[in-house]
């Protein structure tokens, strides 16, 4: 076990737990480390006492890695406003990922294709400059990418409609021919709502009852 007393290391900025035989530890340990900037949980194959990681609102966390954690089902880093870098791999049981209201700049290629991922929330992420459209094989049932909300309110996201609201059309630059073919074949965006706006302030208010949800199997 990881001893709870480690939380008393009040000046700790980096915590790496790599390749251990640790079976469990209370996630509250990390919540209490108010100067922690980097957390890496890598190849701890025996970690069975932890099925969800919620570090919502951690004020100093800048980078986070979760690799080789086969039992984690939920990861929430919502409102970690200094979080810029996330690395998530070999987490085949992960069903829900919330990175809303963070400062992430790039979403790793593999995340959207995680086999059990059913819910991916990316609200209020104005720093995002790259999304791996070119690597997509699938989208989670619930997919919300919204640069313009503040990410603090849990608006309902429909499992039937992918929702994308961005302020910079360059976020679509990696949307290549193979991705387009997936859309045309009905593999992606069977129903979707997409908005590109020059001002995020315009979307702070409700968009006319979600305006009109576009329901189509073609994207031009």
């Amino acid at each position: 076990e990881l001893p709870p007393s480690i939380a008393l290391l009040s000046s700790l900025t980096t915590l790496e737990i790599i390749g251990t035989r640790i079976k469990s530890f209370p996630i509250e340990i990390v919540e209490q480390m108010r100067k922690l900037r980097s957390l890496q949980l890598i190849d701890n194959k025996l970690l069975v006492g932890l099925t969800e990681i919620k570090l919502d609102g951690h004020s100093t966390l800048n980078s986070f890695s979760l690799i080789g954690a086969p039992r984690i089902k939920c990861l929430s880093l919502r409102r970690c406003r200094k979080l810029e870098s996330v690395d998530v791999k070999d987490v085949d049981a992960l069903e829900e990922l919330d990175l809303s209201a963070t400062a992430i700049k790039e979403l790793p290629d593999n995340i959207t294709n995680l086999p059990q991922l059913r819910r991916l929330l990316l609200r209020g992420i104005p720093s995002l400059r790259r999304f791996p459209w070119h690597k997509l094989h699938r989208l989670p049932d619930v997919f919300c990418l919204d640069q313009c909300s503040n990410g603090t309110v849990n608006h309902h996201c429909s499992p039937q409609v992918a929702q994308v609201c961005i302020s910079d059309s360059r976020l679509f630059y990696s949307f290549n021919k193979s991705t387009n073919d997936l859309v045309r074949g009905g593999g992606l965006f069977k129903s979707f709502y997409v908005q590109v706006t020059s001002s995020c302030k315009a979307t702070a208010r409700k968009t006319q009852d979600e305006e009109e949800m576009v329901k189509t199997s073609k994207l031009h």
Side-chain angles (χ1 to χ4, degrees):
E1 293 183 1
L2 196 67
S5 59
I6 198 172
L8 299 177
L9 299 174
S10 58
S11 296
L12 193 69
T13 60
T14 301
L15 176 59
E16 300 178 359
I17 305 174
I18 302 176
T20 73
R21 298 178 65 84
I22 289 175
K23 294 183 178 180
S24 65
F25 69 89
I27 197 64
E28 291 81 8
I29 289 176
V30 179
E31 293 174 352
Q32 295 173 44
M33 296 177 176
R34 304 319 297 177
K35 292 188 178 180
L36 190 68
R37 290 178 50 81
S38 176
L39 174 61
Q40 296 187 32
L41 304 175
I42 301 175
D43 291 333
N44 301 291
K45 305 292 187 182
L46 300 182
L47 195 60
V48 297
L50 196 63
T51 58
E52 68 175 27
I53 296 176
K54 291 189 176 184
L55 294 172
D56 296 348
H58 198 290
S59 60
T60 59
L61 196 64
N62 177 264
S63 68
F64 177 86
S65 296
L66 180 66
I67 300 174
R71 292 177 173 82
I72 300 294
K73 293 185 176 182
C74 175
L75 173 60
S76 179
L77 300 169
R78 190 162 64 99
R79 292 183 292 105
C80 294
R81 298 192 181 278
K82 293 189 177 180
L83 184 68
E84 296 182 354
S85 173
V86 173
D87 192 9
V88 178
K89 296 176 183 173
D90 300 327
V91 285
D92 289 350
L94 192 68
E95 298 176 359
E96 180 173 343
L97 176 60
D98 191 346
L99 297 174
S100 300
T102 63
I104 62 167
K105 298 179 178 179
E106 181 177 329
L107 193 73
D109 295 349
N110 64 299
I111 282 182
T112 53
N113 297 317
L114 290 170
Q116 299 300 321
L117 192 64
R118 299 289 177 263
R119 187 177 178 89
L120 177 59
L121 303 179
L122 303 165
R123 302 188 189 96
I125 48 170
S127 298
L128 189 70
R129 292 295 176 265
R130 181 179 178 274
F131 189 86
W133 303 107
H134 61 302
K135 295 288 187 177
L136 281 183
H137 301 303
R138 62 181 293 272
L139 276 176
D141 297 337
V142 175
F143 175 65
C144 183
L145 168 57
D146 187 348
Q147 286 186 297
C148 299
S149 74
N150 61 19
T152 59
V153 179
N154 264 326
H155 295 299
H156 175 69
C157 284
S158 167
Q160 285 79 39
V161 181
Q163 299 184 36
V164 178
C165 181
I166 62 174
S167 57
D168 187 346
S169 61
R170 288 175 295 182
L171 208 63
F172 280 115
Y173 277 10
S174 68
F175 205 100
N176 61 11
K177 183 181 183 301
S178 62
T179 312
N180 192 43
D181 289 343
L182 270 176
V183 175
R184 291 180 181 277
L188 294 177
F189 293 121
K190 293 180 181 180
S191 297
F192 61 88
Y193 169 75
V194 176
Q195 181 177 10
V196 181
T197 175
S198 60
S199 173
C200 283
K201 292 179 181 178
T203 59
R205 63 182 186 276
K206 197 114 173 169
T207 52
Q208 285 199 344
D209 231 349
E210 304 315 301
E211 290 182 4
E212 292 152 12
M213 290 296 186
V214 181
K215 296 185 178 179
T216 179
S217 60
K218 294 184 179 180
L219 185 65
H220 299 284

